[in-house]
Amino acid sequence: MQTTESTAPQDQSGRQDAEAPRPEVEEAVRQRAEWARQAVPELAIAGRARKDAVLRHMAEALRANTAAILTANREDRGRGREAGTSAAMLDRLKLDEARVEALALALETLAGLPDPVGTVVRGGPLPNGVRMSQVRVPLGVVGAVYEARPNVTVDIAGIALKSGNGVILRGGSAAESTNAVLIQVLREALVDQGFDPNIIQGIDDLGRPGVAALMAARGAVDVLVPRGGRELIQRVVREARVPVIETGEGNVHLYVDASAPKQMAVDIALNSKTHRTSVCNAAETLLLHRDAEETGREVLRALTRAGVLLHVDEAARAWLPTLADRGDRARDAVDATEEDWGTEYLDMEMAVRVVDSLDQAIEHIGRWSTGHTEAIVTNDLAAAERFITEVDAAAVIVNASTRFTDGGELGLGAEVGISTQKMHARGPMGLEELTTTKWILRGDGQIRR
């Protein structure tokens, strides 16, 4: 059974520092990748029924080991608090009984979804009689580098298994105790169901050199998915020799149009910002149409009373609630700076700007968006359609919370991450996004002339 001990230090943003790969560590990563690759054909032979059975068994194993998982998680959070880890990072790190149950339910949902492997994307007879088909096949061995997100350990392992892939997990030092227990539980569940546990690999025990070796393991690892803060993601994108699917930070905007229904705007703004602040689909910038002053005042009042620190432009400052109407949790608003428009706070903070038009809102979003999720609240169908057409993001939302950009909410069971790139996968990455395609030609002796 593999352990996942790690000596990789992290700063408060959760960044994992990499260093030059060492030969013995490179060899260890390649060996584990080879073990995973050798175990993968077992999934193809097993077919959907056995894969679904092991996913359900994993879910039950998580429930049965909840006490051990939470004990390990308390150890991780205790170390984090002593190290001065930010509140947002500690929230990502936290598991409780409800969150463990959510992980188990995600695995069961995956078990109930169609198996993408073998699905025919297109096909039919060619003019020469050759029968052509393009079918989905696993990517192979998927590497994942993430930070302070023990839920990702389970999500990626489950998605990889159902889509027929092996997986190598690097979860970082912040969650080392939790990830060690989770990986052990998942591997033991594989053994219980007659599968090779090497389908799931952890490399936290290889420390910082293991990250560098994983990024350099071209040919051994088929694709690498980084998931975390901007520093981590950009480092992997810059330095990896393995093909990377870039998941993104979420500088998410919520635009309240002139025609926005007041209570809808309040409800959506509160949910988008305060439902869970430490996640990438939380709203970070609020844009208010100048003609929506009454609605804008109510939205700012609700956010202020909820305890959100607002970074406001001059026009928005004039709309803030009076001192007597702010509520006990209110924090004094501050003047917005240019830097605020590009900040992913991941906390109870939000930038606020009043715009003169839909055009100005779209222009602002185009300049500052990270391409993750953008939302509009409006009662104007034409404005909604323009927003959908002209805003370039992985997810565009009309009259609903930004928190719906999530694999579980969109029926994917779980997600590997939210891809903000435009090649192969975009938006929440589920089962299909961990497959590629193979062209199959069946002939009767045809030759090309």
Side-chain angles (χ1 to χ4, degrees):
M1 190 65 62
Q2 285 188 252
T3 61
T4 54
E5 295 179 3
S6 171
T7 58
Q10 294 177 309
D11 64 18
Q12 291 189 27
S13 70
R15 185 182 69 215
Q16 298 190 58
D17 293 319
E19 59 184 37
R22 299 201 297 261
E24 67 274 17
V25 176
E26 285 189 311
E27 177 58 31
V29 168
R30 288 185 174 272
Q31 179 63 74
R32 293 179 197 184
E34 181 58 28
W35 287 337
R37 193 175 300 280
Q38 291 174 359
V40 161
E42 202 175 323
L43 294 173
I45 296 170
R48 175 181 176 178
R50 285 193 63 207
K51 288 192 291 185
D52 290 348
V54 75
L55 286 169
R56 294 188 178 97
H57 186 65
M58 285 178 169
E60 287 305 314
L62 289 176
R63 294 186 178 105
N65 288 278
T66 296
I69 293 167
L70 297 186
T71 297
N73 189 250
R74 284 191 293 270
E75 293 175 8
D76 287 329
R77 286 186 285 132
R79 285 196 307 272
R81 281 190 292 269
E82 290 175 4
T85 301
S86 69
M89 189 63 66
L90 287 173
D91 180 64
R92 287 181 187 163
L93 176 60
K94 180 181 177 181
L95 289 180
D96 53 26
E97 289 189 1
R99 290 186 181 182
V100 173
E101 175 62 20
L103 291 176
L105 289 173
L107 291 177
E108 290 174 340
T109 300
L110 283 173
L113 293 176
D115 189 344
V117 178
T119 300
V120 178
V121 177
R122 54 184 162 179
L126 300 177
N128 61 8
V130 171
R131 299 173 300 284
M132 173 272 290
S133 59
Q134 182 187 14
V135 301
R136 293 196 178 278
V137 296
L139 288 171
V141 176
V142 177
V145 181
Y146 50 102
E147 53 195 8
R149 288 170 164 86
N151 62 297
V152 174
T153 299
V154 177
D155 286 348
I156 294 184
I159 294 171
L161 187 150
K162 176 77 179 235
S163 56
N165 295 284
V167 66
I168 301 178
L169 302 167
R170 164 61 182 177
S173 61
E176 63 178 333
S177 298
T178 311
N179 286 332
V181 175
L182 289 173
I183 290 176
Q184 180 177 338
V185 169
L186 296 176
R187 285 171 59 92
E188 287 178 353
L190 282 168
V191 173
D192 290 345
Q193 294 292 305
F195 284 95
D196 187 338
N198 286 320
I199 291 167
I200 300 173
Q201 301 282 342
I203 61 165
D204 281 359
D205 59 304
L206 301 178
R208 287 181 295 168
V211 180
L214 184 63
M215 291 193 295
R218 189 176 184 91
V221 176
D222 294 289
V223 68
L224 187 58
V225 182
R227 184 169 173 182
R230 178 177 177 80
E231 291 288 338
L232 169 65
I233 293 168
Q234 293 306 312
R235 176 166 296 192
V236 173
V237 170
R238 287 194 310 267
E239 299 179 10
R241 293 173 54 202
V242 175
V244 174
I245 298 178
E246 184 175 354
T247 62
E249 62 178 311
N251 187 20
V252 174
H253 298 78
L254 175 65
Y255 167 58
V256 176
D257 193 34
S259 64
K262 184 190 302 181
Q263 192 58 50
M264 180 189 292
V266 170
D267 292 343
I268 289 174
L270 277 175
N271 189 259
S272 296
K273 177 70 261 182
T274 68
H275 182 256
R276 192 174 175 194
T277 60
S278 65
V279 290
C280 59
N281 57 19
E284 304 291 13
T285 297
L286 174 66
L287 302 175
L288 300 169
H289 194 289
R290 191 171 299 278
D291 294 339
E293 180 175 347
E294 184 179 349
T295 297
R297 285 181 180 273
E298 283 299 310
V299 171
L300 296 183
R301 175 179 177 271
L303 291 169
T304 299
R305 292 175 70 87
V308 178
L309 173 60
L310 300 177
H311 299 247
V312 296
D313 71 355
E314 184 178 354
R317 178 169 288 282
W319 293 3
L320 291 173
T322 63
L323 188 63
D325 195 31
R326 297 194 321 160
D328 296 336
R329 298 173 62 190
R331 303 161 71 183
D332 291 333
V334 299
D335 292 335
T337 66
E338 191 79 354
E339 182 180 357
D340 285 315
W341 308 129
T343 298
E344 184 185 24
Y345 296 104
L346 298 173
D347 206 345
M348 288 286 279
E349 299 186 49
M350 194 175 203
V352 184
R353 180 187 179 190
V354 174
V355 295
D356 295 326
S357 63
L358 174 61
D359 288 329
Q360 192 174 37
I362 292 173
E363 179 184 2
H364 180 103
I365 292 169
R367 178 177 179 186
W368 297 106
S369 174
T370 54
H372 189 293
T373 299
E374 307 298 353
I376 181 175
V377 183
T378 185
N379 217 15
D380 184 333
L381 180 60
E385 291 304 315
R386 273 199 61 203
F387 194 86
I388 290 170
T389 301
E390 297 181 31
V391 169
D392 186 15
V396 178
I397 298 177
V398 177
N399 293 340
S401 172
T402 63
R403 292 282 286 119
F404 286 113
T405 307
D406 174 84
E409 293 292 330
L410 297 178
L412 305 182
E415 67 185 33
V416 176
I418 308 289
S419 170
T420 54
Q421 66 177 29
K422 298 184 181 182
M423 297 178 66
H424 171 64
R426 195 180 193 195
M429 296 169 56
L431 294 170
E432 287 192 2
E433 285 70 31
L434 285 194
T435 65
T436 183
T437 62
K438 176 189 293 185
W439 293 85
I440 299 172
L441 303 179
R442 294 180 172 89
D444 300 299
Q446 289 91 336
I447 60 174
R448 184 171 177 176
R449 301 185 185 280

